[in-house]
Amino acid sequence: MSRGSRELSVKVFAGQCRLVELGFRQGGAPGYGLRRVLIDEHGNPKGELSRGEQKSLQTDRVILVPGPEDEQDVVRRMYRMFVEDGRSEREIADALNADGLRTDLDRPWTRATVHQVLTNEKYIGNNVFNKISFKLKQRRVVNPREMWIRAEGAYPAIVDEALFLRAREIVDARSRHLSDQDLLDALRALLASKGFLSGLVIDEHEDTPSSSAFRSRFGSLLRAYEMVGYQPDRDYRYIKINRKLREAHPQIVAGVIAGIENAGGSAVQDPRTEILTVNGEFTVSVVLSRCFETAAGSLRWRIRLDTLHGELMRWMPPPDGILCAMMV
């Protein structure tokens, strides 16, 4: 990937993260029991989006809402069967298939698809993003839970949070009696059998603990992969860069506000857009610019105003000015 493409990718990613925190959906199928609804720039519903249908206006946004009541009942039934009846994902899938029920993709239920419903926070109303990364010309990778971007309570929950947490505890507890070596041996055996690893491959295999068990024990699937000698074909440096940028931005903005106030001025930050209003007169956006080295060894910082904030700038009024923090 070229330097320009990588920088653009980071900026777009930052904009997507901010939109997710505002409760907007960033691509992907809604999942069983949920639906996508199109809203305008004022938050007014414009209609439900069918499978494969996309928004046509840049100012429109997509949110998730609970789907038909019968599908919601099926989701709650899955959780009760798992938590209260002690049935496995495979047994739940068999029961659903016996009743003639199909997934949101009109396919039979499997161990993995049931597991995804039982472990996905969107069923308690959380809007979650960055669970999987898929950068230009790279394989998709399941990210650790601490890297997820989420907005809690973004839409009405289908499942009670207490029931969801009990399901998560059961999933995590299934692997607690296994040592680290037991888990890694199971992962090595699966790798030898399949030739590659992914969260879906792990969840579909009956004799292997769930992917969430590996995340819980080793911190992330990537860490578990490393420990069994599996290296997906991709560059992970952008993950650390994005994380550091997200961590640094609030601190830098706070420093800017403090500096303005120390000089006798005032600065108020809009919690939705993060734009500063200075002295009640003009607005400023604080952005970070990554440092790169030229072929001659000089340091340069590039700011692309046309892609600033990525998607975020397309639906909100632009600031009057830009304050750039040059990162080294």
Side-chain angles (χ1 to χ4, degrees):
M1 187 190 304
S2 68
R3 180 181 290 117
S5 296
R6 190 179 298 278
E7 290 178 351
L8 176 59
S9 177
V10 170
K11 292 176 181 178
V12 171
F13 176 79
Q16 289 176 320
C17 291
R18 188 59 187 147
L19 288 173
V20 168
E21 291 170 346
L22 295 173
F24 300 129
R25 181 73 171 173
Q26 291 298 295
Y32 188 84
L34 295 164
R35 294 294 186 271
R36 297 180 303 147
V37 170
L38 189 68
I39 62 174
D40 62 22
E41 66 269 31
H42 304 296
N44 301 314
K46 298 180 66 174
E48 183 179 305
L49 292 174
S50 303
R51 180 182 172 187
E53 190 176 3
Q54 304 293 326
K55 67 185 183 73
S56 57
L57 299 178
Q58 290 183 345
T59 54
D60 287 345
R61 290 291 169 258
V62 177
I63 61 173
L64 284 185
V65 298
E69 193 62 40
D70 59 335
E71 290 189 17
Q72 295 185 54
D73 289 340
V74 172
V75 171
R76 288 188 281 264
R77 175 188 171 194
M78 281 191 269
Y79 274 84
R80 289 194 299 270
M81 293 171 70
F82 186 69
V83 173
E84 299 173 3
D85 300 340
R87 303 178 73 172
S88 68
E89 291 98 324
R90 178 67 66 188
E91 291 172 330
I92 295 172
D94 291 343
L96 297 179
N97 291 329
D99 290 343
L101 297 172
R102 310 278 286 187
T103 70
D104 54 310
L105 300 179
D106 196 29
R107 298 170 182 169
W109 289 92
T110 66
R111 178 181 185 266
T113 51
V114 171
H115 182 81
Q116 289 168 359
V117 171
L118 294 175
T119 57
N120 200 310
E121 292 185 29
K122 62 187 176 185
Y123 292 104
I124 55 173
N126 291 350
N127 191 31
V128 182
F129 177 64
N130 200 41
K131 295 174 68 175
I132 294 176
S133 297
F134 192 14
K135 300 297 180 179
L136 294 175
K137 299 181 180 179
Q138 303 289 345
R139 284 186 182 180
R140 56 181 249 157
V141 169
V142 177
N143 293 324
R145 190 175 294 170
E146 61 269 18
M147 288 184 59
W148 296 358
I149 309 300
R150 60 165 52 82
E152 297 184 356
Y155 49 89
I158 293 178
V159 176
D160 180 75
E161 184 175 1
L163 185 62
F164 175 85
L165 293 177
R166 288 173 62 192
R168 174 176 286 179
E169 289 174 359
I170 292 172
V171 171
D172 291 343
R174 288 189 303 202
S175 62
R176 285 180 187 151
H177 68 284
L178 299 174
S179 67
D180 289 357
Q181 191 61 49
D182 291 335
L183 287 174
L184 294 176
D185 286 345
L187 199 59
R188 287 192 186 93
L190 184 60
L191 175 60
S193 172
K194 300 293 184 180
F196 69 99
L197 296 172
S198 72
L200 184 61
V201 167
I202 294 172
D203 289 336
E204 282 286 14
H205 197 258
E206 194 73 41
D207 298 326
T208 303
S210 67
S211 59
S212 57
F214 290 96
R215 293 190 193 97
S216 177
R217 182 68 65 87
F218 301 109
S220 71
L221 279 182
L222 295 180
R223 175 59 178 158
Y225 293 166
E226 291 175 0
M227 296 179 74
V228 298
Y230 177 62
Q231 182 64 49
D233 184 21
R234 71 171 297 146
D235 181 1
Y236 294 107
R237 287 177 297 178
Y238 79 92
I239 295 178
K240 294 182 179 179
I241 292 172
N242 287 337
R243 181 188 299 170
K244 289 185 178 297
L245 287 176
R246 291 198 303 271
E247 292 174 350
H249 188 263
Q251 300 172 4
I252 292 175
V253 172
V256 171
I257 294 175
I260 293 174
E261 292 176 345
N262 289 338
S266 66
V268 179
Q269 184 181 35
D270 186 325
R272 296 180 70 249
T273 64
E274 297 186 345
I275 289 179
L276 302 181
T277 299
V278 181
N279 295 335
E281 299 176 356
F282 61 93
T283 57
V284 173
S285 178
V286 180
V287 300
L288 308 185
S289 177
R290 292 172 54 202
C291 176
F292 67 93
E293 186 174 352
T294 67
S298 302
L299 300 182
R300 294 289 185 271
W301 291 263
R302 180 183 293 119
I303 306 174
R304 297 186 57 170
L305 299 180
D306 58 327
T307 58
L308 195 60
H309 292 312
E311 282 284 318
L312 191 59
M313 292 296 290
R314 297 180 181 177
W315 68 276
M316 70 182 204
D320 298 317
I322 304 295
L323 179 61
C324 179
M326 297 187 298
M327 309 299 290
V328 179

